[in-house]
Amino acid sequence: MLKDSLLEILYILCGLVSLYSAFCTFKDKNHQSRIPTTLFWAILAFIFMFSRIGLVWGNKDIFVSDLTIGYLVIILALLSALKVVKFPKFNESSEEFKNKMSQVIGNKIFIPAITLALFTVVIAQIWSKQIGTIVPIGISSIVSIILALSITKGSSKEMMDDGRRLLEVVGPVNILPQLLAALGSVFTAAGVGNVIAGGIENVIPKENILLGVIAYCVGMAVFTIIMGNGFAAFSVITAGIGVPFVIAQGGNPVIVGALGLTAGYCGTLLTPMAANFNIVPTAILEIKDKKYGVIKYQAPIAIAMLVIHILLMYFWAF
């Protein structure tokens, strides 16, 4: 299928970025944790590039088993837990150069970012059935990179180095969203939703719609806080609480599902496990409070939005 082929190409491109980080780290003799850091990025590159398309050995295609990938992920987790994956001191432009270029480029610097969003929406609307929802983001990213290089007059080497810098500054947290999404699938297959439903039945009667709505929305938020991913929480909590305690009682499935997922996003604003939202910005902006700096500002809004979700679902879905 076209979608699968394009998706694999994007994964290979992601792997090449990790491979470039591994290569540069291995070359850096002054790196304080050269071998473990090289190993981390090299393993990640291997997973992105070869976990599905396989390796060619002689006349045979050798596909990497899921079990092998699982062991490699465990190695990544161990390297991260031991805190041996470190980034070096990168050469950055001087403040004088940055100020000069900001005057030259001006607001045109926002064109690539705006293009990324617009192209993603347009491509997804036109070809989502053929290429899915992830591929448009990848295509738009490539277009935005080309625009950024043409606007800034930067070189491809500078682009690669800055991409590597961002990847390594964020560090192992980069892979947390993928791991949490996989964890959600594991929980669903293991029947965690049924266990939750059994526990809720002992506390909340199914006839009480308001309590069911509160349990569903709060459960989505809390489970998202634990999982760090609203999509991972959605399948588990909807199966365990949303269907039997809200939809089965007459709730509109479309409204309940939409508000249930966004109720989970309220939990996303409250957890360091949502690395791409709450940890990555602290690394990029160099905020002192690496775990809770962004969350502290988001917490009042998240709690208010969760209450609004409960009210909307109760009064709108029934």
Side-chain angles (χ1 to χ4, degrees):
M1 291 179 62
L2 178 62
K3 179 178 70 173
D4 294 335
S5 299
L6 292 175
L7 196 57
E8 289 304 327
I9 292 173
L10 291 179
Y11 284 143
I12 290 172
L13 291 175
C14 291
L16 289 174
V17 176
S18 297
L19 188 62
Y20 182 68
S21 288
F23 173 73
C24 293
T25 301
F26 186 74
K27 283 178 55 180
D28 186 1
K29 303 297 183 182
N30 297 320
H31 197 290
Q32 56 181 327
S33 186
R34 184 167 69 101
I35 300 302
T37 304
T38 299
L39 182 62
F40 182 91
W41 296 119
I43 291 175
L44 186 60
F46 179 85
I47 292 174
F48 270 118
M49 297 172 70
F50 299 114
S51 60
R52 282 293 173 265
I53 65 172
L55 296 167
V56 178
W57 187 269
N59 295 323
K60 296 181 179 180
D61 291 335
I62 304 173
F63 288 90
V64 183
S65 69
D66 292 339
L67 183 61
T68 301
I69 296 299
Y71 284 129
L72 291 176
V73 170
I74 291 175
I75 295 174
L76 293 179
L78 289 174
L79 291 171
S80 176
L82 294 173
K83 297 182 179 180
V84 293
V85 182
K86 303 181 183 296
F87 63 91
K89 184 177 181 180
F90 295 97
N91 294 323
E92 296 188 37
S93 304
S94 65
E95 288 297 324
E96 180 182 356
F97 178 79
K98 291 178 181 178
N99 291 332
K100 178 182 176 181
M101 292 306 297
S102 68
Q103 296 296 324
V104 173
I105 298 174
N107 290 331
K108 288 188 292 184
I109 194 64
F110 295 108
I111 293 177
I114 296 173
T115 301
L116 174 62
L118 289 177
F119 265 57
T120 300
V121 173
V122 171
I123 295 172
Q125 289 294 323
I126 298 175
W127 293 298
S128 61
K129 291 184 179 179
Q130 292 87 352
I131 62 177
T133 56
I134 298 177
V135 173
I137 298 176
I139 296 174
S140 302
S141 298
I142 295 172
V143 173
S144 298
I145 288 172
I146 296 172
L147 280 174
L149 290 175
S150 63
I151 291 172
T152 61
K153 308 301 180 184
S155 65
S156 56
K157 177 67 164 57
E158 290 172 331
M159 176 199 69
M160 292 166 61
D161 287 338
D162 211 46
R164 174 212 171 194
R165 180 187 64 80
L166 181 59
L167 179 71
E168 294 195 30
V169 166
V170 176
V173 173
N174 277 289
I175 65 172
L176 190 56
Q178 294 95 316
L179 296 180
L180 292 173
L183 184 61
S185 300
V186 172
F187 275 21
T188 302
V192 174
N194 296 330
V195 175
I196 293 174
I200 293 294
E201 284 180 350
N202 297 327
V203 180
I204 299 176
K206 286 187 177 181
E207 295 77 16
N208 194 315
I209 296 175
L210 178 59
L211 289 180
V213 169
I214 293 174
Y216 181 42
C217 292
V218 173
M220 275 296 303
V222 171
F223 212 68
T224 301
I225 290 173
I226 297 171
M227 301 283 290
N229 189 304
F231 290 105
F234 183 71
S235 57
V236 177
I237 300 301
T238 300
I241 303 176
V243 173
F245 293 93
V246 182
I247 295 176
Q249 307 309 312
N252 186 315
V254 176
I255 297 174
V256 171
L259 289 175
L261 182 58
T262 50
Y265 294 162
C266 297
T268 301
L269 299 175
L270 297 171
T271 175
M273 293 294 286
N276 47 340
F277 292 101
N278 303 328
I279 301 300
V280 172
T282 63
I284 296 174
L285 301 175
E286 298 181 358
I287 298 175
K288 291 183 179 179
D289 190 344
K290 297 295 183 184
K291 288 186 178 180
Y292 307 111
V294 173
I295 294 172
K296 289 176 181 177
Y297 289 101
Q298 296 176 163
I301 298 173
I303 295 171
M305 289 302 298
L306 182 58
V307 173
I308 292 172
H309 273 75
I310 293 171
L311 295 175
L312 283 174
M313 189 179 294
Y314 181 70
F315 289 107
W316 192 19
F318 291 90

